[in-house]
Amino acid sequence: MKVKDLTVRPRKSSIILMPQVSKRLTSQKISKRLPELLIETIVNCSNSYQTQKFLDDFLTPTEKIMLGKRLAIAVLLLKGYDYATISQLLKVSSATIGKIVNLLRFSDGGLKMMAEKQLSKENWKNLFFEAGRIFLKLNRPFRHIPERVKEDI
């Protein structure tokens, strides 16, 4: 009797690499160079299509969502939204929002610089509008809504 092969062979497009750090340490020189190479690679993407294709191959869907949420938290904080609205909109904990607040306050300013740059982009307008709706749904008195938030409602 022949046994049927039940091995699942993923299609190339469905391969997902899970993040993990090897227990075997690399030299300090190599460890220092690896982030530099990643940055160089991203900077060398000549357009958004190349960047998207690279990140689609390089990051898992979960990693892309996680990084996108971090950026969105920073943008919404700079826009004046409160923890409750951000938490409701992005389904993140107040601890996660607090970590981003600390990055905005105490880091070298890279996240803040990029989040401020995104504030004026048209593709964030739907996120701001939805956040404004949630702000109102949470029964916030209108007089307590920051001016920057009122613009989005």
Side-chain angles (χ1 to χ4, degrees):
M1 183 171 152
K2 190 174 182 180
V3 178
K4 186 176 180 182
D5 182 12
L6 298 176
T7 306
V8 176
R9 290 181 181 84
R11 291 175 285 145
K12 184 179 179 189
S13 63
S14 66
I15 295 174
I16 297 177
L17 303 172
M18 299 306 291
Q20 57 181 308
V21 178
S22 173
K23 293 177 184 175
R24 301 180 315 167
L25 300 176
T26 58
S27 71
Q28 282 186 330
K29 186 176 181 181
I30 291 174
S31 292
K32 183 177 185 252
R33 185 68 179 127
L34 291 174
E36 294 169 356
L37 290 170
L38 175 61
I39 291 167
E40 287 174 23
T41 301
I42 293 170
V43 168
N44 286 328
C45 293
S46 61
N47 56 47
S48 61
Y49 176 78
Q50 282 186 352
T51 306
Q52 180 179 346
K53 296 302 280 181
F54 170 70
L55 292 177
D56 284 347
D57 288 347
F58 198 68
L59 299 173
T60 66
T62 301
E63 289 168 330
K64 288 185 282 187
I65 290 169
M66 176 191 66
L67 295 172
K69 282 185 176 186
R70 289 179 186 176
L71 179 58
I73 291 167
V75 170
L76 290 169
L77 285 167
L78 292 176
K79 188 77 171 156
Y81 288 96
D82 65 13
Y83 276 45
T85 303
I86 295 169
S87 178
Q88 181 78 17
L89 176 66
L90 299 175
K91 309 299 183 212
V92 295
S93 70
S94 59
T96 300
I97 299 168
K99 288 176 187 177
I100 301 302
V101 167
N102 285 334
L103 283 174
L104 290 171
R105 285 186 185 157
F106 304 115
S107 73
D108 289 336
L111 175 60
K112 186 174 183 178
M113 175 180 53
M114 294 312 297
E116 286 173 342
K117 190 173 183 178
Q118 294 303 315
L119 280 173
S120 63
K121 302 276 185 185
E122 189 63 34
N123 55 353
W124 288 88
K125 299 296 183 200
N126 288 339
L127 182 69
F128 297 148
F129 179 75
E130 185 61 25
R133 284 181 357 117
I134 289 171
F135 200 96
L136 291 176
K137 194 184 291 184
L138 291 172
N139 297 319
R140 303 271 187 256
F142 199 78
R143 66 182 181 278
H144 296 296
I145 298 176
E147 287 302 315
R148 294 177 82 178
V149 174
K150 287 180 186 177
E151 300 166 3
D152 302 328
I153 300 173

